[in-house]
Amino acid sequence: MAGEETRTLKSTTVRTAAPTELRETGGTAPRAWMIRLLVVGIVLAALNLRPAITSLGALLEEVRADLAMSGSVAGLLTSVPPLCFAVFGVTAPRLARRFGAGAVVCAGMVAIGAGLLIRPFTGGTAGFLAASALALMGIAVSNVLMPVLVKQWFPDRVGSMTGLYSMALALGTSTAAAVTVPLTEALGGNWQTGLALWAALAAAAVLPWIPFVGNAGNAGSSGRSGKRGRPPAERAPAPGPSSPGAAASADAPAPEVRITRSRTAWALAVFFGLQATVAYITMGWMPQIFRDAGVPASTAGLLLAFIMVMGVPLAFVIPRLATRLPQQGPIVLVLGVSGLIGYAGLYFAPAAGALVWVLLLGIANCAFPLALTMVGMRARSGAGVAKLSAFAQSTGYLISIPGPLLVGVLYQHSGGWGLPLALLAGLMIPQTIAGVLAGRDRTVEDEAAAR
């Protein structure tokens, strides 16, 4: 009965808001068109959030040779993504309030395209790093704002929309890993051309976001331009758990959430950070692990792609499953055990059991869509999700910065992959503990208010 009452209240609130929307937009078609365009924009943006990293991983040996990089410098290069995500991701909510989330994501896609186009032709390590940072800055702000857009425009479909976004992200990740080497070879074997090609995908992703530039419908907008096209969650918020039956005003300010007072927020940040550590080590170094085991370069890229492509179906299934469970701890345990077995297998038989290990690591790698889903579930309001997303991702990426660099140092000084793989396996244990804590059925608003 309570669920039916809530649904009735939501429907009543939305019907009340409808006449205003019709007066301002001239009908329901513009809003439906905007939502469809937003879905396309989210999918295209998600496709662009990892090729900058996995395309480089597939050609890292060639880039290192041409730019005279040591193993430690290459480790620094693979640490740049989490560093940029931590530094720039924290600015995303403020930028979204000032310019609108859609405008910020549009600018992010432009930055990705420009960075990917410039970096292969800079002619030196410093320029390569700077151009990579430009692309990663665009990825960082988009990373943070995707869960916010999903929560505010699709509050009743957080699981399915997060799954769609995560599936597109996994598809872009795996495609870049799989086809970068073959495309490079087909175009004459020049790694610069192979890396620059991915700028075209970013350019395509700019287009659906252009109508959202300057539009108050963007999630996180300050409302300076009025209510035209505002997301449903912003036009007419549904009653929250703390005030059943109360229809909140569309213009009421969101309650202040002190995110650092929430234990769940900290657990989610640690979980996010450790899974990011493992993910960026995998994306940056996994092809090299297989190449050092005697696997050809193109096959090594395909094996990395196989790890990432596992996320395509699982990234759609796991968020939907997670939203149906009161606690997400059981899913966290399955992912952690898969990672432990996969890294142990890589240590003992990297080439002989490659397909089995990449299958298990592909399952473990789906901690990312689970973390995104928990961001949407552990906060009730759009403002809460924005703060939690920025905090968990920025703090998490700060935690992940040393990982890829440490792997490069261990690899260079030990002369093998034993110590790096032991590090990866060891990280699965605290990641699982933090994930179980983050998966408990509670919200950051309640925790922050209670302390």
Side-chain angles (χ1 to χ4, degrees), residues 375-395:
V375 166
M377 295 178 68
R378 298 285 89 89
R380 288 198 307 269
S381 64
V385 171
K387 288 191 174 183
L388 180 57
S389 180
F391 176 76
Q393 294 199 45
S394 295
T395 305

Side-chain angles (χ1 to χ4, degrees), residues 22-49:
L22 288 171
R23 284 196 303 271
E24 293 182 358
T25 63
T28 58
R31 176 173 172 259
W33 169 80
M34 180 173 287
I35 290 176
R36 287 195 295 269
L37 187 64
L38 181 66
V39 172
V40 173
I42 287 173
V43 170
L44 283 175
L47 287 171
N48 280 278
L49 296 184

Side-chain angles (χ1 to χ4, degrees), residues 86-377:
V87 171
F88 298 114
V90 74
T91 66
R94 183 179 300 175
L95 291 172
R97 286 193 298 271
R98 176 68 179 85
F99 301 104
V104 176
V105 173
C106 184
M109 295 300 108
V110 172
I112 294 170
L116 293 182
L117 184 62
I118 294 169
R119 77 172 177 178
F121 307 107
T122 56
T125 301
F128 193 94
L129 287 169
S132 295
L134 175 62
L136 293 165
M137 177 176 62
I139 295 172
V141 294
S142 302
N143 269 337
V144 170
L145 293 178
M146 287 298 156
V148 179
L149 288 161
V150 167
K151 182 74 170 182
Q152 292 194 331
W153 283 87
F154 309 97
D156 56 341
R157 287 180 284 165
V158 170
S160 58
M161 285 302 300
T162 301
L164 179 64
Y165 154 69
S166 301
M167 187 169 63
L169 189 150
L171 182 62
T173 305
S174 57
T175 300
V179 306
T180 297
V181 172
L183 281 176
T184 301
E185 293 174 349
L187 294 171
N190 189 314
W191 65 265
Q192 285 93 340
T193 305
L195 291 183
L197 281 173
W198 295 102
L201 183 62
V206 173
L207 302 177
W209 292 100
I210 292 175
F212 292 90
V213 175
N215 190 301
N218 298 323
S221 171
S222 60
R224 287 175 289 104
S225 304
K227 298 181 182 179
R228 182 186 298 272
R230 288 172 66 183
E234 290 294 308
R235 284 198 304 271
S242 61
S243 56
S249 167
D251 297 317
E256 182 69 20
V257 179
R258 291 191 173 185
I259 205 73
T260 56
R261 299 174 67 178
S262 167
R263 291 189 178 94
T264 295
W266 281 104
L268 188 53
V270 173
F271 177 67
F272 198 99
L274 293 176
Q275 69 80 28
T277 301
V278 173
Y280 288 106
I281 292 172
T282 299
M283 285 186 280
W285 288 106
M286 192 58 63
Q288 193 65 49
I289 293 174
F290 285 119
R291 291 177 74 167
D292 287 351
V295 176
S298 58
T299 305
L302 287 174
L303 289 170
L304 174 61
F306 190 78
I307 293 175
M308 301 305 165
V309 83
M310 286 292 298
V312 177
L314 290 179
F316 190 72
V317 171
I318 287 177
R320 293 170 66 89
L321 177 61
T323 56
R324 286 168 169 78
L325 295 175
Q327 300 191 43
Q328 290 72 50
I331 303 176
V332 173
L333 286 171
V334 171
L335 301 182
V337 171
S338 298
L340 274 171
I341 298 173
Y343 289 117
L346 273 179
Y347 178 82
F348 290 107
L355 287 177
V356 177
W357 315 140
V358 297
L359 173 65
L360 290 168
L361 295 177
I363 295 172
N365 202 51
C366 288
F368 177 73
L370 178 60
L372 287 182
T373 305
M374 289 196 287
V375 166
M377 295 178 68

